[in-house]
Amino acid sequence: MKHYDIVGCGSVVRHYHAPILRSLIRRQAIRVHGCYDLSVAAAKEMGSLLGAQRTGTPDELGDLSGVDAVLIATPPESHITFIERYASLGKAVLVEKPFVGTRAEAERIVEISRSQYAPVLVGHFRRYYPALNVARGFIAQGGLGQVHRVEATEGGRWSWPTLSRYVIESRLGGVIHDTGSHLLDMVLYVLDADTGLDLPFEIKDISKVPDTEPSHDCRAEIRLGNAEMGTVLLSFAVSRLEPLAGAIKIYGDQGTMIIPTAFAPAPFLIQGSEPFALRRPGYEVGPTDAIGCFVLEHEAFLNAQSGSPSLLSADRFVTLTALLESLGTVASAVA
Amino acid sequence: MKGTVLLYGGTSYVGQYLLRSLLDSGTRIVAVINNPVSSKILLGGHMGAVELVTQDRAVREPDVRAIINLAYVRTASPHRANRENERLMQFIHEAATQTGCDRVIHASTIAVFGYEPTETPRPVAVPVRPGDFYIETKTRAEHLLVQQAQESRYHPSIVRLGNVVGPGSAAWTAGPAQRLLEAKPLAVAGRPGASNATYVENIASYLQWLCEVPPNELLRFGPYHHLTEFAAHTWDEFIRSMEATVGLARVTVDGARPGGGASVSRAIGARLKHAYRGRLGGYARAMLGRLPWTEALDAAFARVKELDAPEGHMAQPSLDPDDLALLGLLSARIVIHPHTIPGWTPPVSFETALERIASWLQESGYAVRSSR
C-alpha cells in the first residue's frame, strides 16, 4: 500500500481527485498520509475526507520518510518547489498542469527524476481522450499524408467562481498556462512531437489581452519543426473572454481531421465533403468521460511507482513547457 | 445620456455589449460586482471607464437614472437557489429605493413560458413552473421584482429576451457551430423551427433606449416586454448561414425520433423476439398453441415484423437528453412575437446580423478550410 501526501486542497482536488483517491483507499491501494494547504481549514476538510494522518500548511510537511508519493495541486508557481522537495527524496510525484514555469526547471526536474528513480507525472489527463488517441494513431500511420497546418482553438467566457487571485495576479495564472497548456499538449501529443527534448519552434506572431501576463486571450502563429525534420504551421488561440471553437483541426495532404477539445469518443475525418467519425474497434472499452480519464491518470501514477513507463512522464512535457514559457514571455507583436 | 446607470451582471455576455453601447453614448456606468476575480478578467478592458463597486456602495450612488439587471442565479446548489435569487432581487430593490431611481430594467427570458410553449405567449405574468432550474429562477425573479415594485416608487420593466444570437453567444451561436464541427444533431427533418431570436447589439440598444423613455410611457406600456425581433426567422435560416461559413453540413434527425414512438414499438418487438429465443420460449409456444385465435396471433406477429424496420439495424446518432432538449428548441412551432415600446427600431438587421456572426465564426476557429 502506497502512502500519499496531498499538497494543495483546492477545488480541483475536491471535485476531481478526491473521489478517485477515496476509491483507491477503499481498494487499499493507497493511504493518505498528509493533506496540506495554505488554508488550514481546506487541509483539515480534505484530511477528514481522505482519512489523513496529518494536516497543516505546506510549511509543515515535516519528515517525509513515511511517504511514497505526492499529489501536487497548488498554484503553478510553487510546483517546482514541491516537486523538488519530494522527487529529490525519491518520492513519486503527480503534479497538476501546468508542469513548471520554465524549460530550465522542467529539465532540472527530469534530471532529478532520473537520478533519484522518482517517477514524476504531469496531470494532462486529456491524453487519455479516445478521440485524441485514435487521431494520433491515424496520423502516425500516414492516414492524413503530410500534415502541414494545425488550427487549435479553445475558449469560453470566464465562469469559474473562484476567489483565488492567482488567475489575475500570477504570471502563470493566465489563459496560456491554463487552457493553453491543455490545448498545446493535445497538439504536441497528437503529432507525436512530445517525446524529444528538442523540438524547434518559432513564434511568428502573437497578440494578447491584456498585453502582459496573466493574459486572458491569446492568439499566436507558431512554426513547429524545422527544414530538416519538416514544419507544421500551428495557429493557436485561447480565450477566457469569449467562446472559441473547441477543436483541433489538422490539415494534411490527404484530408482534414477534427478533434474536439472536450471529451469525445472519436475524431472526425473529412476526406471529400462529409465528415465521419473515425471509431477504433473496441472503442466502447475505456473512459466514457473526462472523469474516466482522471481515473486512468491515477492508475498510471500507481503503475509508474512500479516502474511502468507513462504517457504522463515529466520528460514528455519539456517542449510543452518551453512553448508555454515563450508564449508567456513574448509581448504582443510580431516576434 | 445624463445620469448614472447602475448595472448588475455587467460581466455577462449581453453586459459587454451594453457597456460598450452606454460608454459610446457618454453615460456614466457603475457596475455592481460580487466576484472581483471574474470582474477583473471580464471587465478588464473597460477598467477606468467603468466604476466597479460592491452593493454597499451602490446604494449610495447619486443621480441614478436607471438600474439595469442582467444578473441571475446560475451556480447555486438547488437548496440555495431560491435564497440566492431573493438576495439578488433584494439588492436591486434596495438600490432602487435608496438611490431614488425611477426605473429598474430587468433582463428575463422567453423561457419563462417553457422551452416548448404550446400556445402563443402573451406579455403578462406567468406562473412558476417548478422543475427546470433556469426557468424557475428566472420566473421567480420576475415575481419578486413586481412584488417589490408595487410597494415602491420605481417602475419595473421586465424584458423577456428571445434566444440571444450574436458574435460570441455561447448558447445560440457558438453552441450550434460547435455541433456542426462535431457532427452532432442540429435539426429535425421537416421542422425548420421558429428561432424566436434576438441579436445582442439590438438588446443593448433596447435596454439603453428604455433608460431614456419618459416614465409615463413606461407606465402606459406595462411591465412586460418581449424582445424577439428576429422571431419570424427560422433556425433553418441561421444554420444554413453557419453551414456556409463552417464548411460542414448539419446532421438532421428523423422527426419521429425525438418523440420516441417508433423506438418504443421496436423495443416491444425486440422483447417478444427475445422471449421466444430464451428459456421460456418453449413454454410460450406451448401455451399460445392451445389458444383458438391463431389468425389473430399471426397478424400480431406480422405486425411485429413490420415494426422491426430495416433502419433499426443501422446505427443512428445517439440522442442524449441534452440533444433532445436542444432539438425541441430548434424545431419550435410557436412564434413569440416582439412586444416592445413603439418608436424603437432594431439597429441591426437580420442580414447584417448573419454577416457579423459569419465573420465572428471565421475569426474564432469554426471554419474548416480546404485541406489543400
Side-chain angles (χ1 to χ4, degrees):
Chain A
M1 185 185 291
K2 303 290 182 187
H3 291 77
Y4 281 22
D5 269 355
I6 315 294
V7 182
C9 301
S11 57
V12 73
V13 171
R14 191 163 55 246
H15 293 301
Y16 298 104
H17 292 285
I20 299 163
L21 292 169
R22 280 167 62 84
S23 162
L24 294 174
I25 292 166
R26 281 196 299 274
R27 279 168 44 193
Q28 299 191 334
I30 69 163
R31 177 177 289 175
V32 173
H33 175 264
C35 288
Y36 305 94
D37 197 283
L38 284 176
S39 156
V40 176
K44 277 191 175 158
E45 189 191 328
M46 191 55 61
S48 160
L49 189 70
L50 300 176
Q53 297 158 31
R54 289 168 53 92
T55 59
T57 66
D59 294 335
E60 299 168 325
L61 296 180
D63 175 24
L64 300 181
S65 58
V67 178
D68 301 301
V70 63
L71 166 63
I72 299 169
T74 54
E77 257 117 346
S78 59
H79 285 180
I80 181 72
T81 308
F82 294 116
I83 300 171
E84 281 189 315
R85 174 84 191 266
Y86 281 86
S88 60
L89 295 171
K91 315 294 182 190
V93 176
L94 172 60
V95 60
E96 263 297 325
K97 62 89 202 172
F99 177 24
V100 285
T102 65
R103 180 191 186 110
E105 288 174 351
E107 288 175 342
R108 198 161 83 227
I109 295 299
V110 170
E111 184 47 40
I112 293 172
S113 172
R114 279 187 191 136
S115 64
Q116 299 302 314
Y117 303 101
V120 176
L121 272 59
V122 186
H124 278 286
F125 67 94
R126 291 190 186 183
R127 287 186 169 214
Y128 295 110
Y129 281 3
L132 192 64
N133 281 294
V134 173
R136 187 170 188 259
F138 189 78
I139 292 165
Q141 287 165 22
L144 283 185
Q146 181 70 40
V147 171
H148 48 82
R149 180 174 176 80
V150 175
E151 293 170 5
T153 51
E154 185 171 358
R157 211 162 159 74
W158 177 263
S159 61
W160 188 245
T162 184
L163 291 173
S164 170
R165 298 185 66 85
Y166 94 87
V167 294
I168 53 172
E169 290 175 351
S170 159
R171 75 183 170 83
L172 302 182
V175 71
I176 291 172
H177 286 84
D178 181 7
T179 311
S181 67
H182 270 313
L183 189 62
L184 280 175
D185 184 56
M186 290 175 85
V187 171
L188 295 177
Y189 178 66
V190 80
L191 296 178
D192 199 18
D194 61 319
T195 45
L197 294 182
D198 289 314
L199 177 76
F201 62 83
E202 184 187 359
I203 299 172
K204 307 288 291 177
D205 194 7
I206 186 166
S207 67
K208 296 187 203 175
V209 179
D211 201 24
T212 53
E213 292 302 321
S215 62
H216 306 304
D217 188 287
C218 175
R219 324 266 163 143
E221 292 286 319
I222 304 164
R223 193 173 64 202
L224 300 174
N226 57 24
E228 200 180 316
M229 64 173 67
T231 59
V232 172
L233 194 61
L234 168 63
S235 178
F236 165 81
V238 283
S239 182
R240 287 171 174 168
L241 304 180
E242 64 172 349
L244 299 176
I248 296 170
K249 301 195 284 292
I250 302 176
Y251 297 92
D253 290 342
Q254 293 171 24
T256 300
M257 182 164 275
I258 301 172
I259 307 163
T261 56
F263 181 94
F268 298 92
L269 179 65
I270 307 170
Q271 283 176 329
S273 59
E274 294 287 313
F276 61 90
L278 196 65
R279 293 188 189 276
R280 161 176 76 184
Y283 69 91
E284 62 280 0
V285 178
T288 56
D289 56 20
I291 301 289
C293 297
F294 263 94
V295 173
L296 292 180
E297 177 184 307
H298 276 275
E299 296 286 347
F301 187 43
L302 270 176
N303 292 333
Q305 293 168 58
S306 309
S308 300
S310 172
L311 285 180
L312 305 181
S313 289
D315 59 325
R316 303 184 72 147
F317 299 97
V318 175
T319 298
L320 172 66
T321 307
L323 246 173
L324 293 169
E325 181 186 5
S326 293
L327 288 168
T329 312
V330 176
S332 291
V334 176
Chain B
M1 184 165 57
K2 281 185 183 167
T4 297
V5 167
L6 208 55
L7 178 63
Y8 290 76
T11 57
S12 65
Y13 169 61
V14 172
Q16 67 178 321
Y17 281 86
L18 181 60
L19 279 173
R20 215 173 294 158
S21 177
L22 288 168
L23 286 171
D24 286 348
S25 72
T27 307
R28 176 176 176 255
I29 305 164
V30 175
V32 189
I33 61 166
N34 69 349
N35 183 325
V37 174
S38 298
S39 305
K40 178 84 194 292
I41 292 172
L42 296 171
L43 298 178
H46 297 299
M47 289 288 183
V50 177
E51 292 172 52
L52 307 184
V53 302
T54 48
Q55 174 69 9
D56 57 332
R57 268 199 49 201
V59 296
R60 297 200 299 269
E61 281 297 325
D63 192 24
V64 175
R65 182 179 184 92
I67 293 174
I68 302 180
N69 176 40
L70 303 174
Y72 63 98
V73 176
R74 287 189 300 175
T75 52
S77 34
H79 60 287
R80 291 175 188 270
N82 284 349
R83 210 183 312 153
E84 290 289 310
N85 211 15
E86 284 166 16
R87 187 165 161 263
L88 170 66
M89 299 315 292
Q90 183 62 29
F91 275 1
I92 289 157
H93 173 66
E94 283 170 6
T97 50
Q98 293 184 37
T99 59
C101 167
D102 70 358
R103 67 194 69 193
V104 170
I105 300 158
H106 170 77
S108 187
T109 167
I110 55 166
V112 296
F113 299 109
Y115 291 125
E116 293 178 72
T118 48
E119 54 189 51
T120 305
R122 293 186 304 118
V124 294
V126 293
V128 174
R129 297 159 199 264
D132 182 278
F133 181 91
Y134 177 65
I135 294 178
E136 199 178 325
T137 51
K138 283 291 208 179
T139 315
R140 283 192 196 282
E142 286 190 0
H143 288 205
L144 288 165
L145 179 62
V146 170
Q147 278 165 19
Q148 289 162 343
Q150 275 168 356
E151 301 151 9
S152 312
R153 293 176 57 196
Y154 62 87
H155 178 82
S157 293
I158 295 171
V159 184
R160 291 172 177 154
L161 302 178
N163 298 314
V164 180
V165 296
S169 161
W172 294 109
T173 303
Q178 184 74 26
R179 291 181 79 86
L180 284 175
L181 281 178
E182 296 185 19
K184 287 185 174 170
L186 197 53
V188 177
R191 289 172 66 174
S195 74
N196 293 316
T198 178
Y199 186 71
V200 66
E201 287 176 64
N202 291 339
I203 299 171
S205 161
Y206 190 65
L207 296 179
Q208 184 173 344
W209 194 71
L210 287 180
C211 295
E212 299 178 52
V213 170
N216 58 338
E217 250 187 80
L218 285 179
L219 203 62
R220 214 171 28 241
F221 186 78
Y224 299 103
H225 308 235
H226 293 176
L227 189 50
T228 54
E229 76 278 7
F230 294 157
H233 293 280
T234 63
W235 281 122
D236 180 62
E237 291 171 81
F238 280 101
I239 295 169
R240 234 183 300 143
S241 169
M242 286 185 189
E243 285 173 323
T245 308
V246 173
L248 296 171
R250 78 191 85 174
V251 171
T252 300
V253 299
D254 180 354
R257 284 186 63 85
S263 314
V264 172
S265 306
R266 218 176 280 145
I268 294 169
R271 282 286 172 90
L272 271 176
K273 261 185 172 177
H274 183 73
Y276 268 84
R277 284 188 193 135
R279 278 193 301 144
L280 295 176
Y283 295 108
R285 276 189 292 276
M287 289 294 293
L288 290 172
R290 288 185 201 141
L291 296 174
W293 12 278
T294 318
E295 285 79 9
L297 281 172
D298 285 345
F301 282 116
R303 176 81 186 119
V304 167
K305 277 196 178 287
E306 273 173 37
L307 290 171
D308 187 16
E311 63 269 22
H313 295 266
M314 295 298 291
Q316 298 282 326
S318 61
L319 296 179
D320 61 28
D322 288 345
D323 286 337
L324 285 171
L326 180 70
L327 289 172
L329 289 164
L330 292 173
S331 56
R333 293 178 198 274
I334 299 288
V335 175
I336 301 178
H337 298 287
H339 177 69
T340 49
I341 299 185
W344 175 76
T345 312
V348 180
S349 69
F350 180 70
E351 291 70 25
T352 305
L354 288 187
E355 280 168 22
R356 290 183 187 172
I357 288 170
S359 165
W360 178 81
L361 289 173
Q362 281 274 5
E363 289 164 12
S364 304
Y366 292 92
V368 180
R369 302 157 202 255
S370 158
S371 64
R372 294 279 163 190

